[in-house]
Amino acid sequence: MSIILSFLLILLFPSANASWPPSPGYWPSSKFRPMSFYKGFRNLWGPAHQSVDQNALTIWLDRTSGSGFKSVKPFRSGYFGASIKVQPGYTAGVITAFYLSNNEAHPGFHDEVDIEFLGTTFGKPYTLQTNVYIRGSGDGKIIGREMKFHLWFDPTKDFHHYAILWSPREIMQVFLVDDVPIRRYPRKSAATFPLRPMWVYGSIWDASSWATEDGKYKADYRYQPFVAKYTNFKAGGCSAYAPAWCRPVSASPFRSGGLTMQQRRAMRWVQRYLVVYNYCWDPKRNHALTPEC
């Protein structure tokens, strides 16, 4: 009886010393079948820096180029995920990304939802950056909504599943790592939430000007090639061509949407112990431009 009670207490009240988040109790990734790369995606750039073997995609960056890919169709809502493994060692300045965007359809005025691994230096952990752009531009006026995290595992050791659940019906976006919600971005108004169809992208590229400690450390091509591997691609929901009655996917077992108490508990744990930057907490930001804070 005491063992059962202790187990229940650990589930309900994870301690500050816990090194792993509590179970979310629901696994959205299990609701979607994996697809082969060529069934759902195509190369976008850097074809010579991309290879596919048994449904696993490898892309790499060297002095000559990086590489990127794009979904064959746009979506207006859905669940989008991939299992990713990044390179160990010195990767400063290098971005490995999985994201939603409509930048090609709306250049200079696009929406974007990002999951990005920010490269690092020897002995330091990767930072996972999540970001949301709403009708942004590339001319310096873009408003980022960054939240950065350290992970509870080493993303260079094995594949882990990273996903974005975008649901205008549920009035939110959820970022998930191994089905643990790490961030919920709510829709406060149409001005602060992406509503136009977006494609799914992935890429590896040189962002030395800002990626690692605000550009302090640059990409060092003595360590090239910088390699990222993707597999277990999942994309489900309502494409831009689906009928109006298409039902968006849910982040939880509730058809009405929203996260369960157990999912919220897991997310609170991550945000309590692993957040390293939150734009809403940054006193240097003009929060009149980010009313959702």
Side-chain angles (χ1 to χ4, degrees):
M1 184 67 180
S2 60
I3 295 175
I4 296 174
L5 180 60
S6 298
F7 178 73
L8 290 174
L9 288 172
I10 290 171
L11 286 179
L12 293 173
F13 305 105
S15 71
N17 296 320
S19 59
W20 209 265
S23 169
Y26 183 74
W27 294 267
S29 66
S30 67
K31 306 302 178 184
F32 303 94
R33 293 182 178 178
M35 67 172 69
S36 67
F37 174 76
Y38 288 119
K39 182 176 180 180
F41 299 89
R42 62 175 176 82
N43 174 262
L44 183 62
W45 61 283
H49 289 68
Q50 183 175 117
S51 66
V52 177
D53 181 29
Q54 295 181 345
N55 293 333
L57 170 74
T58 301
I59 56 176
W60 61 92
L61 167 71
D62 60 24
R63 290 182 186 275
T64 63
S65 180
S67 188
F69 59 91
K70 178 185 178 181
S71 63
V72 297
K73 60 185 177 182
F75 295 84
R76 63 173 188 259
S77 67
Y79 174 95
F80 313 99
S83 295
I84 304 171
K85 183 180 179 182
V86 290
Q87 179 163 311
Y90 188 98
T91 55
V94 178
I95 294 288
T96 301
F98 185 75
Y99 62 104
L100 311 178
S101 180
N102 51 32
N103 64 313
E104 292 177 278
H106 305 285
F109 196 62
H110 75 284
D111 308 303
E112 189 168 311
V113 183
D114 296 332
I115 291 177
E116 297 171 311
F117 294 89
L118 308 185
T120 189
T121 57
F122 292 116
K124 294 185 179 180
Y126 268 89
T127 297
L128 188 78
Q129 174 169 279
T130 64
N131 205 351
V132 180
Y133 298 127
I134 312 299
R135 289 178 290 282
S137 68
D139 59 6
K141 297 180 181 178
I142 197 164
I143 301 170
R145 293 168 167 85
E146 305 92 342
M147 280 188 70
K148 301 178 184 180
F149 304 81
H150 285 157
L151 296 166
W152 55 95
F153 53 82
D154 183 347
T156 72
K157 297 292 187 184
D158 205 350
F159 286 95
H160 291 267
H161 201 71
Y162 305 86
I164 299 164
L165 194 144
W166 170 41
S167 179
R169 179 179 66 87
E170 294 185 7
I171 323 179
M172 67 176 180
Q173 292 163 147
V174 181
F175 298 83
L176 304 111
V177 177
D178 289 342
D179 287 313
V180 174
I182 63 169
R183 177 182 181 183
R184 178 182 181 274
Y185 179 80
R187 174 181 168 183
K188 297 295 185 181
S189 71
T192 62
F193 196 86
L195 297 173
R196 298 175 295 180
M198 293 188 282
W199 285 257
V200 188
Y201 292 82
S203 62
I204 188 167
W205 55 289
D206 187 334
S208 289
S209 63
W210 62 271
T212 306
E213 298 186 30
D214 295 322
K216 179 180 179 181
Y217 297 99
K218 315 293 184 183
D220 187 338
Y221 288 98
R222 291 178 298 173
Y223 302 107
Q224 70 176 20
F226 301 103
V227 178
K229 296 179 181 291
Y230 297 71
T231 190
N232 195 25
F233 292 97
K234 296 187 176 185
C238 299
S239 78
Y241 316 119
W245 47 259
C246 179
R247 177 181 290 275
V249 299
S250 176
S252 76
F254 304 139
R255 294 187 66 182
S256 59
L259 299 178
T260 66
M261 289 182 63
Q262 198 167 345
Q263 286 177 306
R264 289 177 180 272
R265 186 181 301 119
M267 184 172 66
R268 285 197 300 268
W269 186 95
V270 173
Q271 294 190 355
R272 180 176 181 183
Y273 298 117
L274 298 176
V275 170
V276 294
Y277 177 81
N278 184 338
Y279 73 106
C280 284
W281 303 342
D282 190 340
K284 298 187 295 295
R285 298 287 296 265
N286 178 3
H287 292 296
L289 301 175
T290 55
E292 70 278 0
C293 289

